[in-house]
Amino acid sequence: MEVLSNPQVSDIITWLPHGKGFIILQKHKFALDVMPLYFKHSKFTSFTRKLNRWGFHRVSRGPEMGAYYHKVRKYLVDIIIWIYYSNNSCL
């Protein structure tokens, strides 16, 4: 996801240090300020539903609670999402 590569929003959304997942640190700010720049909608719940459809899993407990993981590494996540948008362009 291009948004995760933007250092200007790393205090809002960022990759986890090991690169296997990401976390949204400020959900409200993400929905209001970041989502309109990258997506056609700014509803956080819609965004999380799309993450679920794309195969991401949310961590529900532990030190990384709230983070999202995918079974592939971070460099492949960008490719998956690019392919999805190329084929569906539904956001």
Side-chain angles (χ1 to χ4, degrees):
M1 292 194 299
E2 184 180 330
V3 64
L4 287 163
S5 301
N6 184 346
Q8 295 176 339
V9 297
S10 64
D11 61 325
I12 299 170
I13 182 173
T14 188
W15 286 110
L16 294 172
H18 48 64
K20 295 179 183 177
F22 69 91
I23 190 163
I24 300 168
L25 302 166
Q26 300 179 47
K27 292 177 187 176
H28 184 70
K29 201 167 186 175
F30 178 74
L32 289 178
D33 300 336
V34 178
M35 286 182 66
L37 300 174
Y38 294 93
F39 307 100
K40 291 183 181 178
H41 62 80
S42 59
K43 293 182 181 177
F44 188 76
T45 53
S46 296
F47 177 74
T48 57
R49 276 193 298 271
K50 289 203 181 291
L51 288 175
N52 290 331
R53 263 190 290 180
W54 292 334
F56 285 86
H57 300 281
R58 187 173 177 270
V59 178
S60 58
R61 60 185 121 134
E64 294 179 344
M65 185 169 72
Y68 292 90
Y69 280 85
H70 198 281
K71 59 184 170 187
V72 296
R73 298 212 178 263
K74 87 177 193 182
Y75 64 92
L76 292 177
V77 172
D78 290 333
I79 295 169
I80 290 169
I81 292 172
W82 179 81
I83 291 169
Y84 178 84
Y85 282 119
S86 296
N87 292 332
N88 297 303
S89 62
C90 67
L91 281 183

